[in-house]
Structure formats: C-alpha cells, structure tokens
C-alpha cells in the first residue's frame, strides 16, 4: 500500500486564495472553497502538492463543505476553516494516527482554541459514540474519503454560517456518520490552533439563538428534544440565561421544535 494522501478541505469567505493558503500553513493537497462575489477556479502550488481553489457566490458553510467533498480525491480528508493555523507536522500526525487505528473511518483531533471557546480536549484515545459526539467542531474532523462516500453523508444546508439556522451542522454531520455505522475515534494529537476572531454566527444568547437551538434539537434528538432542551438550559443557565430567563428560553426552544415539526 502506498503513502496515504491527505487533503485539506477549507471553507472560507471572501479571501485571497494564495494569502490564505500561506496563512493556514497548508503543505499538502487541498480543496479551498471561497464564498465571494464571483465564479472562478485556480490552482496554487504548495510544497507537498497543490490546492484546487473554487470561488462561488452562493452562501452557506454546509454548501461549501459539500462542494469541497465533491472535488476531493485524497485518501483522508481534513475539514478546516480560514482561521485555523495548521501545525508544521499535521500531515505526519494524521498519518501516524490512522496507521495506529487501522479500523478507524474517522479520527477527531485536538486543535488549540481560546479557553472561552473550547468545547472539548481529547486526553485519551477513545471511541466516539452517541454519548460524546456533540462537542466536536468541523476543524477537528478527519475521515477516510471512501468511508464518507460509501456512507453517503453530507453536511446539512440548514445550519451554520450563511444558512437559515445558526450552528449545529457539525453535530448533525457526526450523528449521520454514526448512524451510517462509521467507526469514529478521538485522538490526543494536536494538529493546529485557531486564530481568534469575531464569530461569524454567534451574536449573543437572544431569542433567535434559543429558537434555532430548538430546531437543531428536533433534528438531533427527535422525541427527546424537549426534555433535553430543558436539561441543556438548566446546565448552562448561569452563562446563557442572564438576560432571558430559563422559562422564556425554554419556550423559545419549544417554538423551534414546533417549527422543525411543521407545526
């Protein structure tokens, strides 16, 4: 078997391709989808391969990730964003991890972020299940491309930056991968860091935030959406419910669940 080909799949908005590739320290094959005001295509050479750069005016992070997947050709793909700075040895870390976990279809890696934004940190290599998949962002996710195509999974077009509802697309993607039977592992290797910037989707814990979260919970949890909504609000009440009460936030999440149900 030959050397594993790694390909980075980048979602960006209105960036200069060559500058962004340099800033992210991309040193392998990659596909960059840049949402801007035009259609265009170019390739940019990097030390370890080339980057296929697609420009498109359509908006939505799910759409851009699916477009990158459509044009991907690597053995393993790494999802990434414009604010990620990859580690110098990211390719070797990912290759070693897949060699050590030959049954893995997907591996989720550590990426350094500000403490206020951290939702996870892998301290041991372990299997990802329905109990622990919900805290991982896209830029932590790698996958065997053949496994994703065999499972026929894609990103939701309803959630994430540029879509109707705010975040949650990463959790839906991992949930769909688990439903398809893919074997997912968490790994302790750190493959990069996040460059701090203003969030493209988060603007506060307001009514839309809670309503959108209710829509998401319907798709994630079905009949358990309402009790898990109440649990979510109670656990995070000191952070999320300073301006809006737990009761009102719960009503907003219930409204989101009803909206998702078509009621």
């Amino acid at each position: 078997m030959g050397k594993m080909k790694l390909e980075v799949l980048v979602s960006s908005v209105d960036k200069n391709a060559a500058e962004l590739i340099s800033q992210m320290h991309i040193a392998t094959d990659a596909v960059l989808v840049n949402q801007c005001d035009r259609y265009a295509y170019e390739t940019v050479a990097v030390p370890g391969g080339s980057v296929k750069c697609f420009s498109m005016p359509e908006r939505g992070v799910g759409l851009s990730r699916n477009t990158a997947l459509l044009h991907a050709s690597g053995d393993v793909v790494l999802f990434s964003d414009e604010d990620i700075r990859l580690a110098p040895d990211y390719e070797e870390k990912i290759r070693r991890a897949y060699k050590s976990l030959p049954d893995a279809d997907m591996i989720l890696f550590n990426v350094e972020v500000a403490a206020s934004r951290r939702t996870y940190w892998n301290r041991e290599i372990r299997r990802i299940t329905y109990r622990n998949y919900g805290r991982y962002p896209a830029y932590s996710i790698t996958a065997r491309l053949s496994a994703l195509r065999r499972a026929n999974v894609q990103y939701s077009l309803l959630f994430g930056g540029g879509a109707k509802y705010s975040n949650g697309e990463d959790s839906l993607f991992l949930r769909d991968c688990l439903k398809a039977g893919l074997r997912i592992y968490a790994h302790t290797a750190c493959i990069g860091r996040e460059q701090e910037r203003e969030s493209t989707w988060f603007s506060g814990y307001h009514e839309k935030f809670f309503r959108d979260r209710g829509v998401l919970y319907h798709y994630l949890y079905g009949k358990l959406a309402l009790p898990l909504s109440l649990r979510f609000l109670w656990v995070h009440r000191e952070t999320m419910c300073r301006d809006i009460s737990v009761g009102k936030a719960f009503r907003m999440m219930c409204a989101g669940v009803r909206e998702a149900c078509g009621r």
Side-chain angles (χ1 to χ4, degrees), residues 83 85 113-117 193-199:
D83 56 351
R85 305 297 179 254
V113 302
S116 60
R117 286 176 47 78
R193 62 179 176 84
E194 182 186 53
Q195 184 74 31
E196 288 191 61
R197 62 169 183 169
E198 186 176 345
S199 174

Side-chain angles (χ1 to χ4, degrees), residues 166-218:
S166 43
N167 75 323
E169 73 282 3
D170 305 329
S171 295
L172 285 167
F173 180 72
L174 289 172
R175 191 278 313 270
D176 289 346
C177 290
L178 286 169
K179 285 178 66 176
L182 298 188
R183 296 177 295 273
I184 309 175
Y185 286 87
H187 200 281
T188 56
C190 181
I191 60 171
R193 62 179 176 84
E194 182 186 53
Q195 184 74 31
E196 288 191 61
R197 62 169 183 169
E198 186 176 345
S199 174
T200 58
W201 69 267
F202 181 72
S203 57
Y205 299 111
H206 41 55
E207 292 188 8
K208 177 174 170 46
F209 172 88
F210 294 114
R211 191 179 187 103
D212 286 1
R213 183 60 55 132
V215 175
L216 174 65
Y217 269 39
H218 165 75

Side-chain angles (χ1 to χ4, degrees), residues 14-205:
D14 201 22
K15 296 293 183 181
N16 177 282
E19 291 179 0
L20 180 59
I21 291 164
S22 176
Q23 290 168 0
M24 291 184 66
H25 311 310
I26 293 174
T28 59
D29 286 331
V31 180
L32 190 158
V33 178
N34 186 38
Q35 297 180 356
C36 54
D37 59 356
R38 68 192 184 281
Y39 291 106
Y41 173 75
E42 62 178 315
T43 60
V44 177
V46 294
S50 65
V51 182
K52 295 176 284 189
C53 305
F54 297 87
S55 296
M56 53 189 285
E58 292 84 3
R59 291 295 192 266
V61 67
L63 176 62
S64 67
R65 297 205 195 284
N66 290 341
T67 301
L69 271 174
L70 177 66
H71 294 284
S73 59
D75 299 311
V76 170
V77 294
L78 161 63
F79 293 97
S80 199
D81 291 319
E82 62 186 48
D83 56 351
I84 299 301
R85 305 297 179 254
L86 295 167
D89 55 350
Y90 74 93
E91 180 183 16
E92 184 57 31
K93 286 178 175 177
I94 293 171
R95 181 178 291 113
R96 286 201 303 265
Y98 276 92
K99 186 175 181 180
S100 68
L101 296 168
D103 67 323
D105 295 309
M106 305 175 69
I107 301 179
L108 313 183
F109 290 90
N110 286 329
V111 175
E112 293 181 4
V113 302
S116 60
R117 286 176 47 78
R118 180 178 291 179
T119 59
Y120 80 101
W121 188 259
N122 301 325
R123 300 188 183 280
E124 61 181 351
I125 297 173
R126 60 174 179 168
R127 190 78 177 262
I128 294 294
T129 68
Y130 286 102
R131 296 176 62 88
N132 57 8
Y133 74 92
R135 301 171 68 85
Y136 289 90
Y139 52 73
S140 70
I141 300 173
T142 69
R144 297 187 192 273
L145 184 59
S146 60
L148 292 183
R149 289 182 171 163
R150 184 176 66 249
N152 194 29
V153 290
Q154 296 186 72
Y155 269 83
S156 170
L157 303 183
L158 278 177
F159 295 88
K164 182 176 181 180
Y165 303 110
S166 43
N167 75 323
E169 73 282 3
D170 305 329
S171 295
L172 285 167
F173 180 72
L174 289 172
R175 191 278 313 270
D176 289 346
C177 290
L178 286 169
K179 285 178 66 176
L182 298 188
R183 296 177 295 273
I184 309 175
Y185 286 87
H187 200 281
T188 56
C190 181
I191 60 171
R193 62 179 176 84
E194 182 186 53
Q195 184 74 31
E196 288 191 61
R197 62 169 183 169
E198 186 176 345
S199 174
T200 58
W201 69 267
F202 181 72
S203 57
Y205 299 111

